[in-house]
Amino acid sequence: MNNAMSIIFASDNESKLNELTLHRTTASLPFGGRYRCIDFALSNLVNSSITTIGIITRNNYSSLMDHIRMGRDWDLNRKNSGIVVFPPYASNTSTNVFKGKIEALYGILDYIESSDDEYVVVTNSNIIASIDFDDVYESHVASGADITMLTYNAQPTTSRRVIVESDLSGRVRGMKITRNASEDECELGLFCYLFNRKQLIQLVSDSYERGKIDFERDILQSNIDILNIHAYKVKGHAALVDDIKSYYRESMAILDTDVRNSLFDSAGKVFTKVKDSVPTRYYSGATVVNSLIADGCKINGRVENSILFRGVVVEEGAEVVNSIVMESGKIMKGSTLNFAITDKNVTVTEDKSLSGSDAYPVVVVKNKTV
């Protein structure tokens, strides 16, 4: 799809991710042992030949800048097109952070208007899925849609999810923005859309001039009877990471072979920042069951149903069960983790026990010693 550009929102629902986004954006949240959340969005776009990409930041974006650098790992360090990162201000003359997506998009209209591409993919960065935008484009053209919104089937486990009601042809007839979580599975929006570029500019301009700020409510829901909005159901596994529960649940989901194959063994590869490190060492006391272990680790204890990022140390007699240990974590002798998430550079000292539950995992913030 070489006639499209993209805008990625790097930050969303960070208040719900609490300790995990104190020092980073949602986009740069580590996921799956070696990736960041934004890797999926960037890889999906590049795999579909979309290489003009603007990233709108909000706060704590130094880790994001360090991760994407000039975009070389996604083949986006180009003379023409490539990645542009925008600061979190409402306009070039303002020191105020934008209040919503509409204001953010209005602040970069010059960038969008300067493109020759016919279409724009507008997406959040917290979508864990393998998406073929060439197929999305073909569906968009065939349906005659003004806007194509990507959807998937799931439970609306947090507020601010978008419940979609579409007819047999795929046209969206109703949208509801949830206030509360529900256990009823339904069709949900993925916060990813394909627009005609000129139409997006017009919609954003009109909405901004009327003081509107909420993209989903004020552009999509308010115009549902006027615009031809079609739903495109994403094939394979899809998920949103927007709070601690969903982060833990979706991380653990990739221990399932079918989910892992859907994300990583599909037609499009998932690219990330390359780090050179030594292979993981398994010592005589190591026992590893149903786990993902990144390179550079040293394992001399028990690891079960867990995800270990690069450079993690599990000492003799330590146990890591149903847990996520991020980069350079150290679990010392005799310590036990069960249903826990430890952020980067966390040390759990000898003979400590951290235990949560599937619904409420224990979270230890970055650089902390317990």
Side-chain angles (χ1 to χ4, degrees):
M1 187 179 178
N2 55 11
N3 59 341
M5 63 180 297
S6 180
I7 304 296
I8 301 175
F9 287 94
S11 303
D12 194 60
N13 287 323
E14 286 169 353
S15 62
K16 295 180 183 179
L17 284 160
N18 301 321
E19 298 94 335
L20 295 179
T21 50
L22 286 175
H23 306 287
R24 61 170 70 92
T25 65
T26 305
S28 56
L29 181 62
F31 186 87
R34 61 175 300 184
Y35 300 95
R36 305 291 182 117
C37 283
I38 198 172
D39 291 341
F40 293 88
L42 290 175
S43 299
N44 290 332
L45 292 167
V46 169
N47 288 333
S48 298
S49 301
I50 301 173
T51 57
T52 300
I53 301 171
I55 301 175
I56 299 177
T57 60
R58 189 174 181 89
N59 49 30
N60 296 328
Y61 53 90
S62 60
S63 64
L64 175 63
M65 299 292 291
D66 177 68
H67 180 66
I68 62 175
R69 298 177 288 188
M70 298 300 293
R72 181 183 64 190
D73 298 295
W74 299 269
D75 190 28
L76 290 169
N77 54 332
R78 303 171 176 227
K79 289 183 178 180
N80 300 313
S81 69
I83 287 180
V84 178
V85 179
F86 293 99
Y89 302 113
S91 67
N92 291 333
T93 58
S94 172
T95 57
N96 297 318
V97 175
F98 60 82
K99 298 181 182 68
K101 288 181 179 179
I102 291 175
E103 193 172 20
L105 289 167
Y106 187 82
I108 64 164
L109 275 188
D110 286 348
Y111 172 74
I112 301 173
E113 288 171 341
S114 67
S115 173
D116 294 327
D117 292 313
E118 186 176 357
Y119 295 97
V120 184
V121 173
V122 178
T123 181
N124 282 8
S125 60
N126 61 337
I127 303 168
I128 308 301
S130 177
I131 300 169
D132 182 352
F133 283 107
D134 290 318
D135 196 52
V136 175
Y137 168 72
E138 290 176 7
S139 173
H140 179 85
V141 172
S143 67
D146 296 313
I147 303 167
T148 293
M149 64 182 301
L150 276 62
T151 66
Y152 71 122
N153 286 342
Q155 298 172 341
T157 53
T158 65
S159 61
R160 293 291 303 166
R161 293 287 180 92
V162 177
I163 297 176
V164 178
E165 297 175 6
S166 55
D167 61 22
L168 294 176
S169 70
R171 179 162 181 173
V172 177
R173 298 296 182 179
M175 289 177 60
K176 178 184 176 182
I177 300 174
T178 62
R179 294 183 178 180
N180 302 298
S182 171
E183 295 183 356
D184 297 328
E185 185 171 297
C186 53
E187 186 176 7
L188 296 175
L190 262 178
F191 298 96
C192 181
Y193 313 96
L194 179 62
F195 280 84
N196 176 279
R197 182 178 61 87
K198 292 181 179 179
Q199 185 175 55
L200 175 65
I201 292 169
Q202 187 64 51
L203 287 167
V204 169
S205 298
D206 291 347
S207 298
Y208 179 80
E209 289 169 3
R210 296 198 306 270
K212 306 296 185 181
I213 61 173
D214 190 294
F215 190 85
E216 278 72 30
R217 183 186 65 224
D218 297 324
I219 286 184
L220 300 177
Q221 190 179 40
S222 296
N223 291 299
I224 200 164
D225 295 326
I226 302 170
L227 297 172
N228 182 0
I229 304 174
H230 264 68
Y232 172 94
K233 278 195 178 180
V234 172
K235 301 173 178 64
H237 182 77
L240 286 173
V241 172
D242 54 6
D243 65 357
I244 296 294
K245 292 180 185 178
S246 62
Y247 175 77
Y248 179 80
R249 182 180 62 251
E250 299 308 331
S251 295
M252 292 295 104
I254 66 173
L255 295 178
D256 182 279
T257 302
D258 291 337
V259 172
R260 197 162 58 248
N261 289 342
S262 176
L263 292 175
F264 301 108
D265 290 343
S266 56
K269 295 181 179 180
V270 181
F271 303 98
T272 190
K273 179 181 177 181
V274 175
K275 290 187 177 181
D276 296 324
S277 56
V278 299
T280 287
R281 296 181 66 181
Y282 297 90
Y283 295 85
S284 58
T287 302
V288 178
V289 180
N290 190 39
S291 298
L292 289 179
I293 312 294
D295 48 2
C297 295
K298 297 178 181 179
I299 312 297
N300 200 21
R302 179 175 178 81
V303 180
E304 183 176 349
N305 298 327
S306 295
I307 299 173
L308 273 55
F309 285 72
R310 294 181 177 94
V312 169
V313 176
V314 180
E315 293 188 347
E316 183 180 359
E319 293 189 0
V320 178
V321 182
N322 304 317
S323 296
I324 302 166
V325 183
M326 294 189 194
E327 187 172 346
S328 301
K330 188 173 184 180
I331 315 302
M332 299 180 70
K333 292 181 180 178
S335 292
T336 301
L337 299 186
N338 190 19
F339 295 108
I341 303 170
T342 65
D343 208 332
K344 187 176 180 181
N345 295 325
V346 165
T347 297
V348 179
T349 55
E350 294 184 10
D351 300 318
K352 295 294 189 299
S353 178
L354 301 179
S355 184
S357 67
D358 187 13
Y360 296 98
V362 174
V363 180
V364 184
V365 299
K366 184 178 179 180
N367 298 323
K368 190 175 181 63
T369 298
V370 180

